[in-house]
């Protein structure tokens, strides 16, 4: 069960809520006394706690010590993205960093037009990752690794591979509540069927992202956004 997030005016040991926030907790989320919650003050601080009492339209929370809000995903979020033409990986790294990706792994795939990445380009992507991490208030910059051949990839844990011809839609994906997440998306020309099969054999579930073909720099960000939204990263 997910831990509900609750907006509180102040992170005190005891907080009383009424109005919208209390209504949402009791009527919409149907929390009961004893339910764990995560309270946040909207100014970058959070506290863990529990529901102490519920009375009419009011809810009492008992909260622990306030701490700085956690901005880093508690697990690795690895984005395997095919080498793309021009400067497109820069956009993927910039926005992917904002979305909480911990490691970008450029992939050499059968239909990737570029077959390698020069030192200067890799260094530039790393600088973009540092800059984006800083801008979005992350505690840690994501890593950008040297390109890897798709056949060398060894993903850990749960994963998805974006594939326009997959039958599983995003809403049918069974997201585990914890553990690492691996995400993969293909080059402008798409993955070959054999590549998708290989990735599926490694545990990445092929997933359909909708009836429109997304650009090769858009699809990886849709995957990262879905992971951030579904897993609360
Ligand atoms: N011409 C290619 C499309 C490649 S789009 C083809 O027909 O296969 C580039 C990459 O973005 C794909 O390899 C896939 O990983 C992802 N992608 C784009 N649109 C998608 C969609 N609607 N569903 C799932 N993945 C998609």
């Amino acid at each position: 069960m997910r831990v509900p997030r609750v907006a509180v005016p102040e992170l005190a040991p005891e907080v009383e809520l009424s109005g919208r926030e209390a209504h949402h907790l009791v009527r919409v989320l149907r929390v009961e006394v004893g339910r764990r919650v995560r309270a946040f003050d909207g100014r970058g601080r959070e506290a863990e706690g529990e529901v102490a009492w519920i009375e009419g339209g009011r809810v009492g929370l008992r909260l622990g010590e306030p701490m700085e809000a956690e901005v880093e995903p508690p697990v690795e979020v690895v984005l395997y993205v095919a080498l793309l033409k021009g400067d497109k990986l820069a956009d993927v790294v910039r926005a992917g960093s904002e979305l909480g990706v911990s490691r970008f792994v450029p992939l050499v795939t059968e239909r990737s037009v570029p077959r390698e990445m020069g030192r200067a380009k890799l260094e530039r992507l790393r600088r973009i990752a540092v800059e984006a991490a800083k801008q979005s208030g992350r505690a840690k910059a994501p890593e950008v690794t040297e390109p890897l051949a798709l056949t060398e990839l060894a993903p850990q844990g749960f994963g998805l591979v974006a594939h326009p011809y997959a039958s599983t839609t995003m809403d049918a994906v069974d997201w585990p509540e914890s553990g690492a997440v691996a995400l993969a998306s293909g080059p402008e020309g798409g993955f070959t069927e054999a590549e998708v099969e290989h990735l599926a054999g490694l545990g990445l579930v092929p997933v359909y992202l909708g009836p429109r073909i997304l650009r090769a720099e858009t699809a990886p960000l849709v995957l990262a956004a879905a992971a951030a939204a579904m897993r609360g990263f």
Side-chain angles (χ1 to χ4, degrees):
M1 213 189 297
R2 291 232 163 87
V3 176
R5 286 175 56 75
V6 193
V8 297
E10 214 174 343
L11 291 166
E14 285 180 27
V15 174
E16 185 178 318
L17 300 171
S18 55
R20 275 171 72 109
E21 204 63 26
H23 175 87
H24 184 70
L25 275 177
V26 180
R27 300 273 165 247
V28 183
L29 301 177
R30 303 199 169 278
V31 303
E32 289 176 1
V33 170
R35 176 80 183 266
R36 305 290 309 162
V37 293
R38 183 171 278 275
F40 65 96
D41 65 2
R43 298 184 292 277
R45 285 163 70 79
E46 297 186 347
E48 286 182 2
E50 61 175 16
V51 176
W53 51 265
I54 301 174
E55 237 178 73
R58 295 176 308 130
V59 176
L61 304 179
R62 201 176 296 120
L63 301 180
E65 278 299 303
M67 41 197 173
E68 292 301 311
E70 191 49 75
V71 288
E72 288 303 315
V75 296
E76 280 242 282
V77 183
V78 184
L79 186 55
Y80 296 98
V81 53
L83 283 177
L84 303 178
K85 289 194 237 168
D87 207 22
K88 293 178 191 158
L89 280 184
D91 293 335
V92 175
V93 168
R94 188 175 299 114
S97 300
E98 293 166 26
L99 289 165
V101 170
S102 15
R103 184 145 45 94
F104 296 91
V105 181
L107 284 185
V108 184
T109 69
E110 221 166 290
R111 297 191 188 134
S112 298
V113 176
R115 307 304 302 172
E116 56 184 16
M117 190 187 316
R119 228 336 91 193
K121 197 160 197 171
L122 181 58
E123 290 308 328
R124 181 158 172 272
L125 291 179
R126 288 178 170 158
R127 281 199 302 278
I128 288 172
V130 171
E131 204 43 50
K134 224 189 283 174
Q135 283 243 321
S136 56
R138 287 186 67 168
K140 213 166 125 209
E143 192 188 338
V144 185
T145 73
E146 305 264 354
L148 202 70
L150 182 128
T151 46
E152 290 173 78
L153 188 147
Q156 305 264 313
F158 170 80
L160 298 175
V161 46
H163 186 47
Y165 313 109
S167 49
T168 302
T169 51
M170 194 54 96
D171 64 328
V173 170
D174 194 8
W175 293 85
E177 287 202 10
S178 58
V181 175
L183 307 166
S185 79
E188 290 87 349
F191 284 127
T192 64
E193 281 302 325
E195 285 176 325
V196 174
E197 261 171 50
H198 176 74
L199 294 173
L202 294 172
L204 302 193
V205 179
V207 66
Y208 171 69
L209 302 178
R212 290 162 299 278
I213 294 291
L214 305 173
R215 296 179 73 121
E217 64 272 36
T218 307
L221 296 173
V222 173
L223 292 175
M230 297 306 294
R231 286 282 300 273
F233 292 150

